[in-house]
Amino acid sequence: MWKIGAKEALLALSIDILFFTCLVSGEFPRAQNVTWISTNFKTLLTWGPKPSENYSYTVQYSVVGENRENNPHCIQSRETMCDLSASLSRLKESYIAVVQSEPPRGVASDLVEPPYTRSQAFCPYQDTDIDRPDFTIVVGKDKRSVTLNVMDPLTALFDGNQQQSIRDVFGDELQYRVTYRRHSSTGKKEYTSAGSVVELKKLDRGESYCFEVQAYIPSRKPGKRLGAQSQTQCSEGEKSFTDVYSVPVIAGGILLILVIVSVAIVVAVVCLKCRRKAQETAKERELL
């Protein structure tokens, strides 16, 4: 029994040594589904699978055609995500990234070039998604105009200690597309504004209108020109009688008026009859 156990242990040790030798010789699983995820220049590189204890990942990046360099926060890491927002500083350039499969920290390797997976090209200026903006509504005194004050979304970029907005990045190329309709209608209209203050005129007086706003950058490639659409907001309109009072309340009021009128008519008829009877009685007394 002891001899059989020793042989099994020796075989298991041999397998472990062979597996470890394969690992340090470069036979690591390659990263899969290497993908860019970017919103307002917050740019992440993601991939899979989660590594075992026997290997790790290192991320390198470069402008297309230039030498790759390591991201200092993503070297021999067990994570499957790397934040490259601060590394892609030349916003109008196209970048590629590679995810290398390497031995874990502290393990020596004779790898000349680790197995790696390359990303698609990514240009921050052209490819980052633009998040939905917030805005406020001001109704004009004439009740026929509305001003939308759009707040430029902030980005993950900084100029010194100052966080930059999408207006700081895109400048005059940034416009806003406004979609609007009357609250009581489904028909929509569009208006494009070059600035963050959007004035809409010649609206129906006193009507409530609903608005959605999204960034529009016509210089970007198709499919990336429009940002995410804002939440719908509606202006206040002049309230009609039926808006102030519900149908049951109106019906009750009408019924009450009818009751009062009916009572008044009955009282008037009774009073008229009483007066006529009094007059007839008075005439009869005069004749006597």
Side-chain angles (χ1 to χ4, degrees):
M1 293 293 293
W2 181 86
K3 291 182 179 180
I4 295 175
K7 288 181 179 180
E8 290 177 346
L10 184 60
L11 178 61
L13 180 60
S14 300
I15 292 174
D16 288 342
I17 293 173
L18 177 61
F19 180 68
F20 181 79
T21 302
C22 289
L23 285 176
V24 298
S25 297
E27 296 184 12
F28 301 111
R30 291 178 182 270
Q32 300 174 13
N33 301 321
V34 177
T35 305
W36 296 99
I37 299 176
S38 182
T39 301
N40 290 357
F41 298 95
K42 176 72 172 180
T43 303
L44 307 177
L45 189 72
T46 66
W47 64 90
K50 187 76 174 177
S52 69
E53 295 181 356
N54 300 306
Y55 70 100
S56 62
Y57 293 118
T58 292
V59 173
Q60 296 183 330
Y61 67 96
S62 72
V63 170
V64 173
E66 297 184 6
N67 294 328
R68 300 199 305 259
E69 58 182 295
N70 291 335
N71 181 285
H73 304 291
C74 305
I75 297 175
Q76 291 182 307
S77 169
R78 292 180 48 76
E79 302 297 327
T80 55
M81 180 273 291
C82 183
D83 188 342
L84 291 169
S85 305
S87 301
L88 313 184
S89 57
R90 293 153 64 182
L91 299 180
K92 294 187 178 181
E93 298 284 356
S94 291
Y95 290 83
I96 57 96
V98 299
V99 181
Q100 296 183 161
S101 300
E102 300 181 349
R105 290 180 182 272
V107 177
S109 172
D110 59 357
L111 292 174
V112 177
E113 184 175 29
Y116 65 86
T117 304
R118 185 190 301 268
S119 72
Q120 297 290 326
F122 174 81
C123 174
Y125 196 87
Q126 290 288 335
D127 294 323
T128 193
D129 295 326
I130 304 301
D131 204 1
R132 63 189 185 188
D134 292 325
F135 63 95
T136 59
I137 301 174
V138 179
V139 178
K141 292 182 179 180
D142 61 358
K143 306 296 184 182
R144 295 195 62 191
S145 64
V146 166
T147 300
L148 307 181
N149 296 301
V150 184
M151 286 155 273
D152 301 322
L154 295 174
T155 72
L157 305 176
F158 285 81
D159 183 5
N161 294 324
Q162 182 67 39
Q163 188 173 10
Q164 295 188 298
S165 69
I166 60 172
R167 176 70 65 186
D168 296 323
V169 177
F170 293 106
D172 293 339
E173 294 183 42
L174 173 63
Q175 302 177 29
Y176 284 106
R177 175 73 54 82
V178 178
T179 304
Y180 66 100
R181 60 177 175 82
R182 286 194 302 175
H183 188 275
S184 58
S185 173
T186 57
K188 295 184 177 182
K189 296 182 179 181
E190 287 186 350
Y191 179 81
T192 301
S193 171
S196 301
V197 179
V198 185
E199 295 187 49
L200 298 169
K201 300 180 179 180
K202 297 182 179 180
L203 304 178
D204 294 337
R205 184 186 300 275
E207 284 283 346
S208 172
Y209 280 82
C210 297
F211 307 90
E212 292 101 20
V213 181
Q214 56 195 142
Y216 175 54
I217 307 165
S219 62
R220 301 224 297 177
K221 59 188 180 183
K224 290 290 185 177
R225 292 173 182 168
L226 285 171
Q229 197 168 64
S230 70
Q231 292 183 334
T232 302
Q233 294 191 54
C234 300
S235 64
E236 289 189 4
E238 294 180 347
K239 293 183 178 180
S240 65
F241 187 76
T242 55
D243 292 329
V244 177
Y245 300 101
S246 64
V247 173
V249 171
I250 294 173
I254 294 174
L255 180 61
L256 180 61
I257 292 172
L258 291 175
V259 169
I260 293 173
V261 171
S262 299
V263 171
I265 291 173
V266 170
V267 171
V269 170
V270 171
C271 290
L272 182 60
K273 286 184 177 181
C274 291
R275 182 179 298 178
R276 285 180 179 178
K277 189 174 181 178
Q279 290 175 349
E280 290 175 355
T281 302
K283 286 182 180 181
E284 289 178 354
R285 289 177 178 175
E286 289 177 0
L287 291 174
L288 291 176

